[in-house]
């Protein structure tokens, strides 16, 4: 046996304790990730007993971030990214500025220097990749418009933090820290220009060259018929492209892996690639939460409780209010605003990198690291609970606030059909909720059969595009009765729910039936338990992803086999 097996110790003890505490947390009706975080605290340097290797744990968790972002990229096209640019780009920038100002203001009250306060505020402004994506996947809303906005927002935040990490060292001397390189401080514009050029070159290379090379490579590996080579190709692509993007272009591992997944999506085997990488992705994501727990010193809760409370308040309340206000300012529904704000009500990977850099540059005091880590651990632990509270909060606001009701019913030209809409779209039409990959195919089939339909879609830009093409569409969340009313559900022939979002579907169907008792309902679903509940309630015809695919393949096989038998 070798004398040093710190890698094996870290993986074995980390995953073992994560399993035990994750199970106990689930039994206590808490999110499993709370157990993972507690497991990290127990094997960290601030608690007695076994201490795992923190550097190895951090690197293992970084692999989890790469695989997770790669998996998201496999389901996220360039069109999806561009479709939310009008809200994700300004929203992320303004939210970063708002959260940073809150952090600067609080840190200034504590007597910190401007440089320390700035690093502290920036660390509180950026959300965790792993936590956000895990929450969206758990809720089944990653492929919805709201999920695309959240992921697009995250990509913009990552790009902004890349620039911050590059610009902070040359600015450190001006901010009261160490002067790392006197020459770089005098060439700030050159540093910024080089960074933007590197990022732009990486994105262009991935979208122009990568979209052709990597799908071709995956096809060549698939032709060998080796499952292990296919899995190796997928994992190697995710990790190696992420590493190369950081080493050659100064882009973060997460962003590099995301673009790797996006270019791999061009391959016809992208779905299989996502399935093959799922077990590794989940295991390493668990190690991410364990590594976060290892960084946490519980004594900060006793020594600085008020400061910890202020940090948590900025992350969960301040960031959430800023994000919700921005989304509402872009005239999106209250539901979308609340979901986006819950998505961003935590901090993670980039926050740790920023505080580490701030300490090394002499900008941030040591207590700043403890406070940011405390805020990260608490916000990550309570984030699932924040998500659970969003819909009750929405209902409570609508019941008690006239202003909230006005937000739902405000004068929006896209929230109702134009007065010039033809009569055929106002009666006996199909109301199609969602215009994603499935919705587009349904719409194309309806158009081919010359059957009238009205699209209800949350993406306002997409609604504008549909109307420009002569397609009847209304903007808003179909869980809101007003949206269904504007789509003339009361006289519709059929309601087709083509979004994979299981949240609120039963409420939507109930509203439709109340307005139109005879309406036929067709629902797309990925969650088997939710699908069974809908079928038991006779809510409508449910199409369950893999099940419907298998049935269609069985019908085709039987038809072809029967035909071959007749000819024989």
């Amino acid at each position: 046996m070798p004398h040093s097996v710190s890698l094996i110790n870290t993986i074995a003890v980390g995953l073992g304790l994560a399993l035990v505490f994750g199970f106990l947390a689930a039994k206590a009706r808490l999110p499993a990730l709370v157990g993972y975080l507690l497991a990290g605290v127990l094997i960290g340097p601030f608690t007695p007993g076994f201490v795992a290797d923190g550097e190895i744990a951090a690197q293992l968790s970084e692999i989890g971030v790469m695989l997770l972002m790669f998996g998201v990229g496999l389901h996220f096209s360039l069109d999806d990214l561009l479709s939310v640019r009008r809200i994700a780009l300004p929203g992320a920038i303004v939210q970063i500025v708002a959260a940073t100002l809150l952090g600067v203001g609080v840190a200034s009250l504590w007597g910190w220097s401007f440089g320390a306060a700035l690093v502290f505020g920036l660390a509180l402004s950026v959300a965790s990749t792993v936590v956000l994506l895990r929450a969206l996947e758990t809720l089944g809303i990653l492929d919805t418009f709201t999920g695309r906005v959240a992921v697009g927002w995250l990509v913009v935040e990552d790009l902004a933090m890349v620039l911050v990490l590059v610009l902070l060292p040359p600015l450190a001397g001006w901010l009261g820290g160490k002067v790392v390189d006197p020459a770089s401080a005098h060439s700030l514009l050159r540093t910024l220009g080089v960074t933007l050029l590197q990022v732009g070159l990486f994105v262009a290379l991935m979208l122009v060259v990568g979209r052709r090379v990597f799908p071709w490579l995956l096809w060549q590996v698939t032709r060998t018929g080796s499952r292990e080579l296919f899995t190796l190709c997928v994992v190697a692509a995710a990790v190696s492209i992420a590493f190369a993007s950081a080493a050659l272009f100064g882009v973060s591992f997460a962003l590099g892996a995301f673009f790797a997944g996006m270019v791999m999506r061009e391959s016809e085997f992208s779905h299989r690639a996502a399935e093959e990488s799922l077990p590794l992705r989940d295991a390493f994501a668990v190690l991410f939460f364990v590594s976060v727990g290892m960084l946490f010193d519980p004594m900060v809760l006793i020594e600085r409780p008020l400061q910890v409370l202020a940090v948590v308040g900025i992350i969960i309340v301040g960031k959430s209010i800023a994000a919700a206000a921005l989304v509402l300012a872009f005239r999106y529904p209250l539901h979308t605003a609340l979901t986006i704000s819950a998505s961003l009500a935590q901090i993670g990977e980039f926050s740790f990198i920023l505080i580490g850099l701030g300490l090394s540059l002499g900008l941030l005091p040591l207590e700043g690291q403890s406070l940011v880590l405390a805020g990260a651990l608490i916000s990550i632990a309570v984030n699932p609970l924040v998500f659970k509270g969003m819909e009750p909060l929405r209902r409570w606001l609508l019941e008690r606030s006239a202003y909230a009701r006005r937000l739902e019913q405000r004068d929006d030209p896209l929230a109702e059909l134009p007065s010039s809409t033809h009569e055929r779209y106002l009666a006996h039409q199909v109301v199609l909720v969602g215009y994603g990959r499935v919705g587009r195919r349904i719409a194309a089939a309806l158009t081919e059969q010359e059957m009238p339909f009205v699209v209800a879609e949350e993406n306002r830009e997409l609604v504008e595009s549909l109307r420009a093409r002569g397609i009847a569409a209304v903007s808003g969340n179909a869980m809101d009765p007003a949206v269904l009313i504007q789509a003339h559900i009361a006289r519709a022939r059929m309601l087709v729910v083509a979004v994979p979002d299981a949240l609120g579907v039963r409420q939507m169907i109930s509203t439709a039936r109340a307005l139109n008792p005879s309406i036929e309902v067709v629902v797309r679903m990925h969650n088997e338990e939710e699908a069974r509940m809908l079928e038991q309630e006779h809510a409508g015809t449910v199409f369950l992803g893999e099940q419907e695919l298998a049935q269609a393949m069985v019908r085709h096989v039987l038809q072809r086999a029967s035909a071959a038998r007749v000819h024989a």
Side-chain angles (χ1 to χ4, degrees):
M1 286 289 292
H3 294 291
S4 178
V5 286
S6 56
L7 173 62
I8 297 174
N9 284 342
T10 302
I11 294 176
V13 177
L15 290 180
L17 283 178
L19 173 63
V20 172
F21 283 96
F23 176 78
L24 293 175
K27 281 290 186 181
R29 298 186 180 276
L30 293 171
L33 65 85
V34 173
Y36 308 155
L37 292 168
L38 288 176
V41 173
L42 284 179
I43 62 175
F46 303 104
T47 52
F50 173 79
V51 177
D53 191 314
E55 290 188 8
I56 288 179
Q59 292 185 43
L60 291 173
S61 72
E62 200 70 67
I63 296 175
V65 174
M66 295 180 199
L67 293 175
L68 191 68
M69 287 299 283
F70 179 76
V72 172
L74 285 170
H75 296 94
F76 208 85
S77 69
L78 180 62
D79 291 338
D80 291 335
L81 194 61
L82 293 176
S83 70
V84 297
R85 67 188 185 281
R86 293 186 184 178
I87 179 174
L89 181 59
I93 293 172
V94 175
Q95 184 255 314
I96 288 174
V97 172
T100 301
L101 290 176
L102 286 173
V104 169
V106 170
S108 298
L109 294 176
W110 297 337
W112 291 10
S113 68
F114 176 73
L118 180 62
V119 174
F120 178 74
L122 286 168
L124 301 185
S125 69
V126 57
S128 165
T129 299
V130 178
V131 177
L132 184 145
L133 297 178
R134 178 63 67 89
L136 296 178
E137 286 183 333
T138 301
L139 294 171
I141 61 174
L142 183 59
D143 291 330
T144 65
F145 169 72
T146 302
R148 291 195 295 272
V149 171
V151 172
W153 201 300
L154 185 77
V155 169
V156 176
E157 282 193 351
D158 280 0
L159 287 170
M161 288 304 113
V162 168
L163 294 178
V164 169
L165 292 175
V166 170
L167 295 177
L168 200 56
L171 287 172
W174 296 348
L175 295 172
K178 299 176 183 176
V179 179
V180 180
D181 182 5
S184 67
H186 297 290
S187 57
L188 189 60
L189 290 178
R190 183 174 62 83
T191 303
L192 178 60
V194 170
T195 302
L196 292 174
L197 181 63
Q198 286 180 317
V199 172
L201 183 60
F202 167 73
V203 173
L205 189 66
M206 293 300 292
L207 296 181
V208 176
V209 179
R211 292 175 80 175
R212 293 173 173 81
V213 173
F214 295 115
W216 174 85
L217 177 63
L218 199 60
W219 165 244
Q220 296 303 317
V221 172
T222 304
R223 290 177 63 185
T224 66
S226 172
R227 179 177 178 179
E228 53 268 33
L229 275 179
F230 183 88
T231 305
L232 179 61
C233 178
V234 172
V235 176
V239 177
S240 60
I241 294 174
F243 174 77
S245 67
L248 300 177
F249 299 99
V251 177
S252 68
F253 289 132
L255 201 61
F258 174 76
F259 275 98
M262 279 185 62
V263 298
M264 279 287 192
R265 187 181 183 276
E266 302 297 322
S267 169
E268 58 187 298
F269 302 104
S270 61
H271 181 74
R272 180 184 169 190
E275 291 294 326
E276 294 287 348
S277 62
L278 185 62
L280 272 176
R281 190 178 72 186
D282 287 345
F284 280 103
V286 169
L287 288 173
F288 165 79
F289 292 110
V290 173
S291 70
V292 172
M294 289 177 61
L295 297 170
F296 178 61
D297 182 1
M299 289 302 296
V300 72
L301 298 176
I302 300 172
E303 296 172 352
R304 304 178 184 276
L306 294 179
Q307 289 179 311
V308 171
L309 188 62
V311 171
V312 173
I314 291 173
I315 297 170
I316 297 179
V317 180
K319 286 176 63 179
S320 296
I321 292 175
L326 284 164
V327 176
L328 291 173
F330 280 91
R331 307 190 72 82
Y332 283 97
L334 185 61
H335 167 77
T336 301
L338 292 175
T339 305
I340 296 296
S341 63
S343 302
L344 302 170
Q346 34 73 22
I347 58 173
E349 313 87 76
F350 266 114
S351 303
F352 309 145
I353 298 171
L354 270 171
I355 58 174
L357 181 61
L359 285 171
S360 66
L361 294 173
L363 288 171
L364 193 70
L366 193 60
E367 65 181 283
Q369 182 182 41
S370 299
L371 290 172
V372 171
L373 290 173
L377 188 136
I378 295 171
S379 64
I380 289 172
V382 303
N383 193 246
L385 304 178
V386 173
F387 265 104
K388 286 183 180 179
M390 286 298 103
E391 185 55 28
L393 175 61
R394 174 180 175 271
R395 291 197 298 266
W396 184 86
L397 288 173
L398 292 176
E399 289 173 3
R400 291 170 172 79
S401 171
Y403 180 68
R405 290 192 291 272
R406 285 199 300 272
L407 287 176
E408 291 282 304
Q409 301 170 359
R410 60 191 166 187
D411 184 20
D412 184 350
L414 296 180
E416 58 183 25
L417 291 174
S419 57
S420 58
T421 303
H422 195 278
E423 178 66 26
R424 67 193 298 261
Y425 297 104
L426 308 180
H428 306 294
Q429 83 282 16
V430 173
V431 175
L432 176 60
V433 178
Y435 199 76
R437 289 187 289 271
V438 174
R440 289 191 193 101
R441 287 174 169 80
I442 296 172
L446 292 172
T447 302
E448 186 177 341
Q449 297 296 319
E450 297 185 349
M451 298 180 64
F453 63 94
V454 177
V455 176
E457 168 64 48
E458 288 186 82
N459 189 336
R460 299 184 79 255
E461 287 75 23
L462 187 53
V463 171
E464 290 178 350
S465 173
L466 290 173
R467 290 192 178 184
R469 289 156 47 194
I471 298 175
V474 293
S475 171
N477 189 325
M479 285 195 303
D480 180 6
V483 174
L484 292 178
I485 291 171
Q486 292 300 335
H488 290 257
I489 195 74
R491 301 173 65 189
R493 174 188 304 172
M494 184 181 295
L495 171 66
V496 179
V497 183
V499 293
D501 181 1
L503 294 176
V505 168
R506 294 162 74 190
Q507 176 187 335
M508 188 192 307
I509 295 172
S510 175
T511 301
R513 288 265 163 81
L515 296 169
N516 185 346
S518 63
I519 194 169
E520 184 178 348
V521 178
V522 179
V523 184
R524 170 195 178 192
M525 190 67 63
H526 287 301
N527 188 307
E528 292 188 19
E529 182 179 350
E530 191 77 18
R532 280 196 299 269
M533 292 177 65
L534 288 172
E535 289 174 341
Q536 290 171 0
E537 296 170 1
H538 305 289
T541 305
V542 181
F543 287 85
L544 187 64
E546 292 79 4
Q547 177 182 321
E548 299 303 326
L549 174 62
Q551 290 175 353
M553 292 179 70
V554 167
R555 285 196 299 269
H556 178 77
V557 170
L558 292 177
Q559 287 174 359
R560 300 301 296 168
S562 299
R565 183 185 297 173
V566 170
H567 290 303

